[in-house]
Amino acid sequence: MLREVDIVDAHQHFINLPDLAYPWIDSRPPALTALLSNYYDAARRYLPHDYRAQVDGIPVTASVGCEFGAADGVAEAVWVQQCADRVGVPNAFIAAAQLESDDLADVLARYRDLPVVQAVRQPLYWADDPGKRLGARGDYLSDPAWLRGFEKVADGGFVWDLLVYDEQLPGAHELIAAFPDTTFVLEAVGWPVDLTAEGFSRWEERLGAVSRFPNVVLKFQGIALIFGTSPDAIGRWIRTALRIFGAGRCMFASHYPIDHLLWDSDTMVSTVQAALDDLSSAEQALFFGDTARRVYRLPAR
């Protein structure tokens, strides 16, 4: 059954050590090891051939690479374009952007010259618990300078990958509504901070509210990192998310190499498929491939 599905992996990373610097590897912020105790086992050189080896057992026909905290986002994107030209991986790229920076216009101009770059992102994850703060500040969504930067992103026609916890979602509504022609990809199924029954209910409500904006699409990366790997652990979360958004607005993603620390590719796909076994073949095609092709502007297979 696995090989009957056209998989577009909508989110995976590369690490080009030692050619690029990655401050998070050098500084080892505790928020990452709080997520996963052996997170830094993945903090090593990880190139397209390493990724291909790890997904060899599943029918991945295209992939979307994502920036991974390199000190120089433009240099990272240029290198990824070289990989795409040389070996055909990845097929699209989500580049880094600091929307409040003075050189944002120049950075976006460089990205427009790189065909592989289809989207940009900036970590906005912020919580009361300092151990969950993966963004630099908690006020970006209300900061005038940051919002002016977002106008440049929208004018450039980029997809915006939105990195917020579920409790931050209400604060993102105004931004999403203000840019109806920009596609927002909500990463990590709207990352629920609280995994209790009460937390599930709040996440479900928040996800339902943001789903009312037609320009929001949901990405299922980091499932193992957030929920664990057992069907019982992930099942209700991914089934609920897919019910709220529909397969035509949901995308499968591996989040490799991080989630490869938790499960191999065959287990990953078979577990997700088992949790979504009531999907029709057309819905599976959307979830595992076609939605990502549309959102990240990949050619049809």
Side-chain angles (χ1 to χ4, degrees):
M1 183 177 182
L2 297 184
R3 296 191 179 277
E4 296 174 358
V5 180
D6 169 22
I7 294 178
V8 176
D9 183 352
H11 195 104
Q12 44 88 199
H13 299 287
F14 296 121
I15 301 177
N16 187 20
L17 287 171
D19 298 332
L20 295 175
Y22 297 84
W24 64 271
I25 292 179
D26 297 330
S27 63
R28 301 177 74 89
L32 296 179
T33 49
L35 280 173
L36 187 65
S37 60
N38 63 331
Y39 191 101
Y40 282 93
D41 287 353
R44 57 179 176 78
R45 189 169 174 86
Y46 186 78
L47 304 181
H49 71 269
D50 299 305
Y51 168 73
R52 280 178 160 170
Q54 289 187 344
V55 299
D56 183 58
I58 60 174
V60 173
T61 58
S63 75
V64 179
C66 183
E67 65 86 17
F68 208 17
D72 187 335
V74 171
E76 180 183 36
V78 169
W79 172 73
V80 168
Q81 182 67 64
Q82 293 168 351
C83 292
D85 293 340
R86 187 172 61 251
V87 300
V89 176
N91 304 89
F93 186 62
I94 306 157
Q98 301 295 316
L99 269 57
E100 74 281 17
S101 65
D102 293 334
D103 66 345
L104 176 65
D106 293 336
V107 168
L108 295 179
R110 294 289 306 278
Y111 289 161
R112 283 193 292 271
D113 290 336
L114 301 174
V116 76
V117 177
Q118 295 295 327
V120 292
R121 75 170 195 168
Q122 179 177 1
L124 306 181
Y125 293 124
W126 194 263
D128 291 338
D129 180 357
K132 297 184 182 297
R133 294 175 183 173
L134 298 174
R137 288 167 30 200
D139 64 342
Y140 281 126
L141 291 172
S142 60
D143 176 58
W146 191 90
L147 293 170
R148 287 194 295 272
F150 197 92
E151 292 178 3
K152 295 182 176 66
V153 171
D155 290 344
F158 295 101
V159 173
W160 176 258
D161 264 46
L162 179 62
L163 288 79
V164 292
Y165 292 124
D166 67 321
E167 59 190 26
Q168 296 174 276
L169 280 174
H173 287 189
E174 186 174 348
L175 174 70
I176 295 166
F179 295 94
D181 295 328
T182 297
T183 297
F184 289 78
V185 176
L186 179 57
E187 291 198 9
V189 293
W191 199 329
V193 173
D194 181 358
L195 300 184
T196 66
E198 293 79 9
F200 178 89
S201 296
R202 287 191 292 269
W203 165 82
E204 183 179 17
E205 180 180 352
R206 291 161 178 161
L207 210 60
V210 79
S211 74
R212 298 187 185 108
F213 297 99
N215 54 327
V216 178
V217 179
L218 197 61
K219 184 155 59 177
F220 284 58
Q221 103 274 10
I223 292 172
L225 184 66
I226 299 170
F227 305 116
T229 59
S230 73
D232 289 342
I234 70 171
R236 65 173 182 154
W237 296 92
I238 65 174
R239 283 192 296 270
T240 298
L242 199 138
R243 173 182 56 77
I244 291 171
F245 271 84
R249 295 170 64 195
C250 291
M251 296 183 287
F252 170 82
S254 72
H255 196 230
Y256 277 14
I258 300 303
D259 278 37
H260 193 264
L261 299 172
L262 296 162
W263 55 9
D264 61 69
S265 60
D266 216 39
T267 303
M268 172 179 61
V269 176
S270 61
T271 303
V272 172
Q273 279 199 322
L276 303 177
D277 61 358
D278 59 340
L279 292 187
S280 68
S281 58
E283 288 172 320
Q284 287 215 16
L286 287 167
F287 175 76
F288 281 102
D290 292 346
T291 302
R293 287 189 182 278
R294 172 177 60 81
V295 170
Y296 290 114
R297 302 159 185 153
L298 303 179
R301 186 181 178 192

